[in-house]
Amino acid sequence: MARNWALAAATLILLSGCGLNTPPSEARVRAPEFVGGKADWINTSPITLKEILRTHKTPDGKPVAAILVDFWEYTCINCIRTMPYLKEWNKRYSDKGLLIVGIHTPEFGFAHDGKHVAEAVKRFGLTYPILVDSDHRNWDAYSNQYWPRHYLIDSRGYIVSDHAGEGGYSETEREIQSLLKRYDPGVALPKVMDVVRETDRPDAVCYPVTGETYVGYERGQLGNRGGYRRDVAADYADTGRYEDGVPVAVGSWRATPEALIHTSTRPDDAILLRYHALDLYAVIKPEGGTPLRVYVTQDGKPLPVADKGADILFDEQGRPYLNVDSPRMYAIAHNAKFGQHVLGLSSPSSGFGLYSYTFGSCTE
């Protein structure tokens, strides 16, 4: 995901996966120092780049010959998809000189809360150091624009490679191994790992999909007549006409800069979205802090079992729903076949906050 949403060309590069960019030696720059106090670090005591480079050791005494800085955000599907590789590299190389430092820079307001970040770190099973960058100081120091972004730093503190987006896993691992061998020519290293998912292979079939869709009025658009009625509870009427990637609200909703929030308990109120993709994900928050159910339809009917995403459950009547118990990304649809659909999300509870949709398109 790109933070500067006006940079359409850069976004296109990101969505295509981007290549591993290794600056020529004369263009290499020193990596900025990590910025954060004791309370901003998870899984470690505070780390400074200066001390690591001086001693070539982490605070717990592990050797450091290479540092991989991973800018991520816990609701970002692209970031989540890179985690199996990061976790395996940490397992393979942390005792051979690699230090991974995850820098969590938030996209949405709720992700500024370090408690939510800590819960996500635990849920994803991340054991390497995480720096909570809620005020974007590290993001700005690195002049970053993307989630995820990986900067590989050598033992002298120079950025030797830079990769934005998913992909390039084998190339990145080879770069890691090269730095470890440069520091210790006798180090024993495993074969570069195979892809985690068949859809990560270069020959995977990837269909064109609906672009990332924001729901709040700051970055989104609404398909209802008259558009958003900002910052007030308002009733919206179904237009019956749906444009790809443009949400349509039905019933009582409050539009905020980041989200549409349900303001009634009418179970027929919904947000409808036409999209084309294999996979659909949405960032949802229980605004009142109490878990709530969000029911899911596709093309006017309950989402079929064959098309359910990983977070779909079924109630006693067999209706598909999400148990929204925390603000995060939810995997809603994993369609058996690529196509165009209209997805409906509804809840009998007020406080259902919908922030964004993202999509996946690759198959074996």
Side-chain angles (χ1 to χ4, degrees):
M1 291 193 292
R3 179 171 171 78
N4 189 337
W5 306 280
L7 294 177
T11 303
L12 248 158
I13 292 171
L14 175 64
L15 292 176
S16 68
C18 295
L20 186 75
N21 303 315
T22 304
S25 58
E26 65 270 15
R28 290 177 183 171
V29 296
R30 286 196 174 272
E33 181 59 87
F34 302 136
V35 183
K38 183 177 180 180
D40 299 318
W41 287 94
I42 300 172
N43 295 336
T44 184
S45 55
I47 292 173
T48 67
L49 191 58
K50 180 179 179 180
E51 184 65 13
I52 290 170
L53 297 174
R54 186 181 71 81
T55 64
H56 297 292
K57 290 187 180 297
T58 65
D60 60 359
K62 285 188 176 181
V64 175
I67 302 167
L68 179 63
V69 174
D70 168 42
F71 278 92
W72 68 293
E73 211 271 0
Y74 84 82
T75 69
C76 166
I77 183 58
N78 308 92
C79 302
I80 293 169
R81 286 173 56 83
T82 67
M83 288 178 184
Y85 295 94
L86 292 164
K87 291 163 69 174
E88 180 62 21
W89 293 339
N90 187 59
K91 180 180 177 181
R92 288 179 166 213
Y93 303 119
S94 64
D95 63 347
K96 300 180 185 297
L98 175 67
L99 172 65
I100 298 177
V101 177
I103 300 182
H104 183 276
T105 310
E107 180 172 16
F108 299 107
F110 59 76
H112 286 73
D113 189 333
K115 179 185 70 174
H116 294 320
V117 181
E119 290 171 349
V121 168
K122 183 177 180 181
R123 183 171 69 250
F124 292 129
L126 307 181
T127 59
Y128 45 81
I130 303 291
L131 175 55
V132 179
D133 185 36
S134 292
D135 55 9
H136 291 75
R137 288 185 293 171
N138 293 276
W139 178 280
D140 293 339
Y142 278 79
S143 299
N144 188 28
Q145 296 283 348
Y146 308 111
W147 295 280
R149 189 160 191 171
H150 299 148
Y151 295 92
L152 190 58
I153 303 167
D154 68 14
S155 60
R156 297 173 297 170
Y158 288 98
I159 296 174
V160 298
S161 69
D162 168 10
H163 184 94
E166 297 184 47
Y169 303 114
S170 296
E171 294 89 341
T172 298
E173 186 171 2
R174 290 189 188 99
E175 287 276 359
I176 292 169
Q177 291 190 349
S178 176
L179 291 183
L180 299 183
K181 287 179 180 177
R182 181 194 301 175
Y183 190 79
D184 178 8
V187 66
L189 300 174
K191 179 183 176 182
V192 171
M193 65 184 289
D194 198 2
V195 296
V196 171
R197 296 169 292 265
E198 290 300 312
T199 53
D200 292 335
R201 295 192 182 280
D203 59 352
V205 176
C206 295
Y207 299 97
V209 296
T210 300
E212 186 170 9
T213 299
Y214 292 95
V215 180
Y217 62 73
E218 184 175 71
R219 289 177 279 172
Q221 58 178 317
L222 197 62
N224 298 83
R225 187 174 291 107
Y228 294 101
R229 279 164 267 179
R230 300 185 174 197
D231 302 310
V232 296
D235 283 323
Y236 294 88
D238 189 354
T239 64
R241 300 176 64 181
Y242 313 114
E243 180 182 347
D244 194 275
V246 180
V248 171
V250 181
S252 182
W253 300 86
R254 178 167 58 89
T256 73
E258 293 188 337
L260 280 172
I261 300 172
H262 193 212
T263 56
S264 85
T265 57
R266 296 194 296 261
D268 293 334
D269 292 358
I271 297 178
L272 305 171
L273 181 79
R274 182 180 295 280
Y275 75 98
H276 59 284
L278 284 169
D279 299 311
L280 181 147
Y281 311 88
V283 176
I284 303 173
K285 179 187 176 187
E287 299 292 338
T290 302
L292 52 84
R293 286 190 177 187
V294 173
Y295 287 91
V296 183
T297 62
Q298 187 149 275
D299 302 323
K301 301 177 181 179
L303 180 73
V305 174
D307 295 332
K308 74 180 187 70
D311 286 309
I312 292 292
L313 303 170
F314 293 90
D315 68 9
E316 297 79 4
Q317 288 77 45
R319 295 182 299 170
Y321 73 94
L322 301 165
N323 180 40
V324 178
D325 56 0
S326 63
R328 65 177 178 90
M329 186 211 74
Y330 291 82
I332 298 176
H334 178 62
N335 292 297
K337 294 182 180 180
F338 177 81
Q340 188 172 75
H341 304 282
V342 175
L343 187 95
L345 298 176
S346 61
S347 177
S349 303
S350 61
F352 158 36
L354 179 61
Y355 286 71
S356 69
Y357 303 88
T358 51
F359 307 91
S361 70
C362 295
T363 186
E364 299 174 18

